[in-house]
Amino acid sequence: QVQLVESGGGLVQPGGSLRLSCAASGSTFGLYTMGWYRQAPGKQREMVALIGDSTSYAASVKGRFTISRDNDKNTVYLQMNSLKPEDTAVYYCNAEQEVVTTTRIYWGQGTQVTVSS
């Protein structure tokens, strides 16, 4: 079992910055791809950024957001710059774990990001 705990969300003005953190604990062996997703009310959850052997970003955040990872601390980060009101959502940490023949998917509890003047 893996637990993911996000932190760093809050209220910021347009153009501001936030850094989200996600700490993994428990049986963290076999963790491979980690990432960030977001979901606004009435909308589908969407991928924001992923990190494994390489990184990938949603077109809407590319050039503004940066995902990074500290494997020794089992922590993934999302640096968000030049924030826009449309970035407002609950942001969720995600992790994939492969153990023997099973792939397990984990989600954090989410952290609210609100961009408003």
Side-chain angles (χ1 to χ4, degrees), residues 57-79:
Y57 298 89
S60 60
V61 307
K62 195 170 186 178
R64 299 188 297 120
F65 292 9
T66 302
I67 189 170
S68 61
R69 184 173 181 174
D70 185 337
N71 290 324
D72 291 336
K73 297 181 178 180
N74 295 122
T75 301
V76 64
Y77 306 92
L78 185 67
Q79 178 67 47

Side-chain angles (χ1 to χ4, degrees), residues 2-5 19 21-26 28-29 31 34 68-77 93:
V2 172
Q3 295 80 44
L4 303 176
V5 180
R19 190 193 192 202
S21 298
C22 173
S25 62
T28 58
F29 54 85
L31 288 179
M34 299 186 71
S68 61
R69 184 173 181 174
D70 185 337
N71 290 324
D72 291 336
K73 297 181 178 180
N74 295 122
T75 301
V76 64
Y77 306 92
C93 181

Side-chain angles (χ1 to χ4, degrees), residues 67-113:
I67 189 170
S68 61
R69 184 173 181 174
D70 185 337
N71 290 324
D72 291 336
K73 297 181 178 180
N74 295 122
T75 301
V76 64
Y77 306 92
L78 185 67
Q79 178 67 47
M80 305 185 294
N81 299 325
S82 302
L83 284 162
K84 304 174 181 179
E86 51 263 44
D87 294 318
T88 296
V90 177
Y91 284 69
Y92 297 91
C93 181
N94 166 270
E96 294 183 353
Q97 180 185 52
E98 293 191 3
V99 181
V100 191
T101 61
T102 302
T103 298
R104 299 174 180 174
I105 307 298
Y106 299 96
W107 293 96
Q109 82 286 354
T111 184
Q112 178 71 48
V113 172

Side-chain angles (χ1 to χ4, degrees), residues 4-65:
L4 303 176
V5 180
E6 304 99 330
S7 62
L11 173 65
V12 297
Q13 294 183 326
S17 297
L18 282 175
R19 190 193 192 202
L20 305 183
S21 298
C22 173
S25 62
S27 301
T28 58
F29 54 85
L31 288 179
Y32 181 57
T33 301
M34 299 186 71
W36 291 93
Y37 292 70
R38 67 186 182 187
Q39 186 170 24
K43 296 184 178 180
Q44 297 291 319
R45 186 172 299 187
E46 64 176 348
M47 184 274 289
V48 176
L50 299 174
I51 183 167
D53 292 335
S54 61
T55 58
S56 62
Y57 298 89
S60 60
V61 307
K62 195 170 186 178
R64 299 188 297 120
F65 292 9

